[in-house]
Each structure stands twice: as structure tokens, then as C-alpha cells.
Amino acid sequence: MRRLLVLLPMALILLIVPAPANAENNFVLLSEPSHRGLDNVFFNDELATALKPEGRLGNLVYVSPKSGRSWIIDIALVDEVIAMSNGYEVAKPLDKTKKNPKRETLPGVGDSVAKAWLAALKTSVRRDLISVLPYGSPSATWLKDAAPNELKFYQSQSLSRGTEFFGRSVASVDTYPGQPKANIPRDVQVSYTLTRKRIFALATVLPQETLLSYRLGIAGLTNPELNRSDSLDLAATYSPQFAAFENKLRLIVGKYRVTSEHEKIPVTLVNDFDVALKIKLVVTPLNGKVIATSLPDLTLAPNSKLQVAIPIRVMASGSTILLTQIKSEKGILLKEPVQLPLTLSVISPITTWFTTGSAIILLLAGVVQSVRRIKRKRVQL
């Protein structure tokens, strides 16, 4: 009975005094939507302001270390700060009064701020538990259905890069407590999916390191921290930037008038990548007025142009279009097809045969008619 009287007050104290915060509730979150485009040019210099000791990100790493805390970090943010520390460019606001304003850049001014923040981060984490989010803080919930292999890739990249930066092992988490529910606009979902497929197509001819920044960069499109407007703006920025990268491999065609039955149509393949590309040029006529001969596989040297002659045979006059497709050796389409228009001013063999045959028939008919007339005259005599 006496022991019960002693334990009862202690139980009441435990109920009144809150339990110490655990690692899950006492964490520091370092994650932000991307501040730069796929071309590595920063949209503005707001990140430099946020990294200062009084800024929202600086305030998290410059404070005195506390015991019992942990860190949840998006390594994409760390990579952006590293890029800043090495010197970076910031896009100037576009002059919307001009019809086609040219994009211009200015040198960023936050390189020293970035270096100081990175040093402070390494000091502040000390021996705390560090967990890394999938690269770019994408929506793990959406990616598990839409692109599970990409989610695993973002996770592996964060682990390897986080281990390298901090010099020790880090844990991996899909999300963090309190992360907003993903509400990705349909247009952004489509943009992400199409760009990812185009990256995979180019991966059949390009090394992974050439595509890595683009493959990782688009992860940020599905970041739940983005509101609808910012998400759509980011997708609208990324799409032409990837298209410009993709256009380093292109086909240049003209308009041609063909005046002979057998002809070779010249086109130019351009490879502005720093690596050689092995490709196929597949040509398909859109009607039966021409026949195109298959071309052998081609190798484009780095940073080069190659003129290719497409052999054709004209079957009828008029107009047609050659659908030209650049594919990998495995037959994967690398670019949107290009239409090559042809104007055909040729008397085709079929027309010649038809005309000649008709003339012969008419001649024979005339001969038969003449023979009949001669026979009639003889009978009358």
C-alpha cells in the first residue's frame, strides 16, 4: 500500500511533464524548390539572400548546435549552393515590351555567401543524424505510381552525393513530417513524363553523364512545395531549355524540285554534342509517287556536320513528302520526325509505258482497220 502511494504521484508527474522530443519531431529541414533552370542559369539571386546568416536558410545552420536533433536535407539544394560557390550566372528580367526579347545573364554575387553557408552546414551537423530526401524533393507518392524506377534513382543519387559531401554515411527518407500533399497540375505531369521519355531515348546514344543534370533537374517539377502557378512556370521554363539541349542533334532539310526519274536528295545531319553518335536515318514517303532507298547506319563525329544523299526513284509527277526520322541503332526515335517536301516534274516510267502502250494499241487498231478496208474493196471487185 505504501509503495502504491509512492508510485501514484510519480505516475501523475509523468503524465503532466511532456516527453522529450524525439528525432522525428526535432529535425531541421533544408529543402527548397529549385532556383535554377536546366541550363544551370539561376532565375534570380534570391537564394544568395536566403543563405545569409539572417536569411531563412542561414538561420537554420548558423544557430548554436542543439542536442538530440536530426537533419532532413535535399541534396539538390546543396548542389545548387555548390554551383553558386563556384561562380554562377543570373538571368536578367526579360523586356516584355519587345516582341522576341533575347535572354541575357549577369554574374551572380553570392559566391562568398554560398561558401560560408556550406562550411557552416558541415560544422552545424556535427554528429547529428542526417537523412536525405530523393533528389529535388519530388512527390514520392506520385512517383511510386508514375515512375518508380526514377524515384529509386533520385534516392540513390541523394545517398551517394550526401555521403560524399558530408564525408560519412547518411540515411534516406521519402518525405518529411508535415510535407504538403502533392497536387501536381496535369500539364506538369505530362511535361515531366514526356521529357523523361525523351531523356531515355537520348540515353541510347549519349553517355549518362551528358544527360545526368537534365534527368535530375526535372525531378523538381513534382516538388509538393510548389504552388500551381510556380509549378506551371517551372515546366514552361524547363521544356524549351531541354528542347535546346535536344536540338544539338538535328536534321536540316530544304524544298526540292525533282526533274529526273532517279535522284539523290541532299540533307544535313548536325551533331553539336561532344561525343560521336551512331544513328539511323529512316526515310518514308507519304504516298506512292516516289520510292526511297534504305540508308546504311551512320556515325556522326563530335561537333560535326554530315551531308547525306537520299536515293529516290520517281514513279509519278506531282508532290510528295519524305518523312525523315533520326533513330538509334536499336530503332529508338531520337527526334520528332522532319518533313521533306518534294515537287516532282518527271514523266515516270509508268506514264511512259502507258503512253507507249496506248500508241501501239492505236497503231495496231489503225492497221487492222486498213486491212479490213482493203479486204472490202477486193470483195466488191
Side-chain angles (χ1 to χ4, degrees):
M1 185 66 178
R2 186 176 296 175
R3 178 178 297 180
L4 181 60
L5 292 174
V6 173
L7 292 176
L8 184 59
M10 293 179 63
L12 291 173
I13 293 173
L14 289 175
L15 290 173
I16 296 171
V17 178
N22 56 33
E24 186 178 83
N25 294 324
N26 190 25
F27 68 90
V28 180
L29 174 66
L30 294 179
S31 175
E32 290 224 335
S34 180
H35 291 265
R36 59 177 173 170
L38 296 178
D39 57 359
N40 291 321
V41 175
F42 282 71
F43 304 135
N44 48 53
D45 229 344
E46 291 181 0
L47 183 56
T49 303
L51 295 176
K52 293 179 179 179
E54 65 277 11
R56 63 179 181 276
L57 295 175
N59 187 50
L60 295 174
V61 302
Y62 284 106
V63 295
S64 300
K66 299 177 181 179
S67 60
R69 70 177 178 181
S70 62
W71 297 75
I72 298 179
I73 301 174
D74 179 8
I75 295 300
L77 172 62
V78 176
D79 277 354
E80 286 195 356
V81 181
I82 292 173
M84 289 182 65
S85 70
N86 294 326
Y88 62 105
E89 296 290 318
V90 177
K92 290 179 63 176
L94 292 176
D95 186 355
K96 295 183 179 180
T97 61
K98 296 182 179 179
K99 186 176 182 180
N100 294 309
K102 184 179 179 181
R103 191 184 187 207
E104 298 179 353
T105 61
L106 293 171
V109 296
D111 52 337
S112 59
V113 174
K115 291 176 182 176
W117 187 87
L118 292 170
L121 174 60
K122 287 185 175 181
T123 300
S124 191
V125 297
R126 296 178 180 252
R127 297 180 181 178
D128 296 340
L129 173 66
I130 301 174
S131 299
V132 293
L133 292 162
Y135 198 91
S137 295
S139 170
T141 304
W142 183 76
L143 284 174
K144 283 177 181 177
D145 291 329
N149 288 334
E150 284 306 274
L151 177 59
K152 293 177 182 178
F153 178 74
Y154 300 148
Q155 291 168 327
S156 66
Q157 284 291 313
S158 287
L159 281 171
S160 61
R161 291 165 183 254
T163 299
E164 181 180 358
F165 177 77
F166 291 108
R168 59 186 173 93
S169 61
V170 298
S172 176
V173 292
D174 287 347
T175 184
Y176 58 86
Q179 186 180 47
K181 184 179 178 180
N183 186 20
I184 307 167
R186 178 63 181 170
D187 289 350
V188 175
Q189 295 180 31
V190 171
S191 178
Y192 172 87
T193 302
L194 290 179
T195 304
R196 179 173 59 84
K197 289 180 178 179
R198 287 156 64 187
I199 289 172
F200 284 170
L202 286 175
T204 60
V205 294
L206 288 172
Q208 178 172 300
E209 55 268 23
T210 304
L211 294 162
L212 187 57
S213 63
Y214 293 88
R215 187 177 178 185
L216 290 174
I218 64 171
L221 284 174
T222 69
N223 190 327
E225 294 285 352
L226 288 169
N227 59 42
R228 178 180 175 81
S229 177
D230 290 342
S231 181
L232 290 169
D233 287 346
L234 193 63
T237 300
Y238 281 3
S239 182
Q241 289 178 352
F242 180 76
F245 168 78
E246 187 182 42
N247 202 45
K248 288 185 176 183
L249 171 63
R250 59 190 181 275
L251 180 67
I252 301 175
V253 303
K255 295 181 180 180
Y256 301 97
R257 178 177 291 275
V258 181
T259 57
S260 58
E261 177 188 349
H262 294 277
E263 192 63 82
K264 291 184 177 181
I265 308 300
V267 297
T268 302
L269 284 161
V270 181
N271 175 23
D272 286 337
F273 289 106
D274 295 330
V275 296
L277 303 179
K278 294 182 178 181
I279 64 161
K280 297 175 181 287
L281 185 61
V282 180
V283 182
T284 307
L286 294 188
N287 59 34
K289 293 183 178 181
V290 296
I291 297 174
T293 304
S294 299
L295 295 167
D297 291 358
L298 303 169
T299 299
L300 306 180
N303 299 302
S304 69
K305 295 181 180 180
L306 177 66
Q307 191 169 76
V308 178
I310 303 173
I312 64 168
R313 182 183 178 185
V314 179
M315 306 305 293
S317 293
S319 61
T320 189
I321 291 176
L322 298 181
L323 193 68
T324 54
Q325 299 173 305
I326 302 176
K327 295 186 175 183
S328 69
E329 289 183 303
K330 297 179 179 179
I332 305 298
L333 184 65
L334 303 177
K335 297 275 295 181
E336 288 296 319
V338 177
Q339 294 187 354
L340 196 167
L342 298 179
T343 300
L344 311 171
S345 302
V346 180
I347 299 177
S348 69
I350 293 176
T351 303
T352 302
W353 295 337
F354 179 79
T355 304
T356 303
S358 298
I360 292 173
I361 291 172
L362 288 173
L363 179 61
L364 290 174
V367 171
V368 170
Q369 195 71 14
S370 298
V371 170
R372 287 177 178 176
R373 287 175 182 172
I374 293 171
K375 287 183 176 179
R376 287 196 195 108
K377 289 180 179 180
R378 287 180 179 177
V379 170
Q380 291 175 357
L381 294 173

